[in-house]
């Protein structure tokens, strides 16, 4: 099992052959405070790719504020932090809400449902993008992955690699995704949750 997110990203990217003859575009959904996976991926790319861009989304205002402040201090023009949700509203209603399951007394079904209803009411959603992502990293709210993948599907090709944090039960997000998509070349990466690292999966569509 992989104990840290840094090593998780390094292990996953060691199995990815990135193109060397063009700009590499990374689409990240859920940068959080900006100082985690975005940093790890940036460090990996700096040592392996000549030209790249990381387009990183964070829809939660407080997290976005922390992320943009962090990256502004780094003066790295290859990193773009975007304050939008990367999915479509109708997919939250049709692909997220039906799959919500509560766990325990705090993270209840009502808790998740209320949060997603708030996003539907007040969130800002991305429209279109003008590039084909080479890698898509999804590290977002629990149960929301299917809606994100469905939007990404419009812009990816058969070579686009999805990296998805599976933070629900034991590969529970994978089970949800299988309802809607044919996950090709699926690989699992077991994380050590006691060290704060969830499982991850990679696949193509």
């Amino acid at each position: 099992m992989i104990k840290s997110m840094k090593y998780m990203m390094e292990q996953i990217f060691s199995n990815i052959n990135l193109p060397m003859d063009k700009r590499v575009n990374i689409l990240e959904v859920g940068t959080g405070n900006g100082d985690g996976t975005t940093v790890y991926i940036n460090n990996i790319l700096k040592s392996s790719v000549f030209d790249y861009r990381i387009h990183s989304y964070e829809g939660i205002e407080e997290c976005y504020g922390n992320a943009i402040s962090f990256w502004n201090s780094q003066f790295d023009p290859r990193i773009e932090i975007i304050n939008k949700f990367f999915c479509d509203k109708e997919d939250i209603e049709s692909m997220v809400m039906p799959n919500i399951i509560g766990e325990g007394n705090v993270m209840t079904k009502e808790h998740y449902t209320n949060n997603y209803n708030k996003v539907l009411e007040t969130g800002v959603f991305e429209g279109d993008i003008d590039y084909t992502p080479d890698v898509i990293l999804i590290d977002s709210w629990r149960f929301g992955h299917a809606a994100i993948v469905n939007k990404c599907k419009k812009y990816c090709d058969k070579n686009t690699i999805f990296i998805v944090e599976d933070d629900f039960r034991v590969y529970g997000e994978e089970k949800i995704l299988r309802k809607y998509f044919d996950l090709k070349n699926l690989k699992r990466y077991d994380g050590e949750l006691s060290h704060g690292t969830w499982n991850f999966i990679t696949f193509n569509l």
Side-chain angles (χ1 to χ4, degrees):
M1 290 189 177
I2 303 171
K3 293 184 177 181
S4 79
M5 190 67 82
K6 176 178 181 290
Y7 294 138
M8 177 66 78
M9 291 298 104
E10 291 174 352
Q11 179 66 32
I12 291 173
F13 273 86
S14 71
N15 289 305
I16 296 174
N17 293 317
L18 294 170
M20 303 300 293
D21 58 347
K22 70 178 187 68
R23 172 176 291 176
V24 172
N25 283 296
I26 308 293
L27 169 58
E28 180 182 31
V29 184
T31 189
N33 293 318
D35 57 355
T37 51
T38 316
V39 172
Y40 306 144
I41 293 171
N42 190 44
N43 289 338
I44 291 167
L45 295 178
K46 277 193 292 188
S47 64
S48 60
V49 176
F50 176 71
D51 187 17
Y52 66 91
R53 293 292 183 274
I54 299 176
H55 315 268
S56 191
Y57 286 80
E58 182 51 61
I60 301 172
E61 193 68 36
E62 181 180 356
C63 292
Y64 167 77
N66 293 334
I68 196 70
S69 176
F70 174 82
W71 282 104
N72 282 345
S73 72
Q74 304 301 305
F75 303 104
D76 193 333
R78 295 168 296 193
I79 314 300
E80 179 185 17
I81 308 296
I82 305 156
N83 188 203
K84 294 179 181 178
F85 289 97
F86 198 88
C87 62
D88 294 325
K89 282 188 174 183
E90 58 267 28
D91 289 337
I92 291 180
E93 296 170 342
S94 63
M95 304 175 82
V96 176
M97 296 297 202
N99 293 300
I100 293 176
I101 299 172
E103 291 186 305
N105 297 323
V106 177
M107 311 303 278
T108 62
K109 182 175 182 178
E110 182 180 22
H111 164 81
Y112 289 113
T113 301
N114 288 342
N115 276 291
Y116 277 109
N117 279 331
K118 183 178 179 181
V119 169
L120 288 171
E121 293 169 7
T122 64
V124 178
F125 292 79
E126 181 61 283
D128 289 318
I129 60 174
D130 60 359
Y131 60 91
T132 300
D134 297 285
V135 176
I136 298 172
L137 172 65
I138 300 174
D139 181 9
S140 63
W141 277 358
R142 189 169 292 179
F143 305 111
H145 297 28
I148 297 168
V149 172
N150 205 43
K151 185 173 184 71
C152 290
K153 190 172 67 170
K154 302 174 185 177
Y155 308 107
C156 70
D157 60 27
K158 65 179 182 179
N159 296 313
T160 300
I161 298 169
F162 286 80
I163 304 172
V164 178
E165 184 181 55
D166 201 316
D167 59 357
F168 174 58
R169 297 185 175 173
V170 180
Y171 292 105
E173 294 284 2
E174 176 192 324
K175 184 177 180 181
I176 294 171
L177 290 174
R178 284 180 178 275
K179 292 182 180 181
Y180 305 102
F181 310 103
D182 178 16
L183 308 182
K184 298 181 175 68
N185 304 312
L186 179 70
K187 294 181 181 178
R188 289 177 170 182
Y189 294 83
D190 295 339
E192 183 62 73
L193 186 54
S194 64
H195 287 73
T197 304
W198 289 94
N199 297 331
F200 274 77
I201 57 173
T202 64
F203 57 85
N204 306 99
L205 290 181

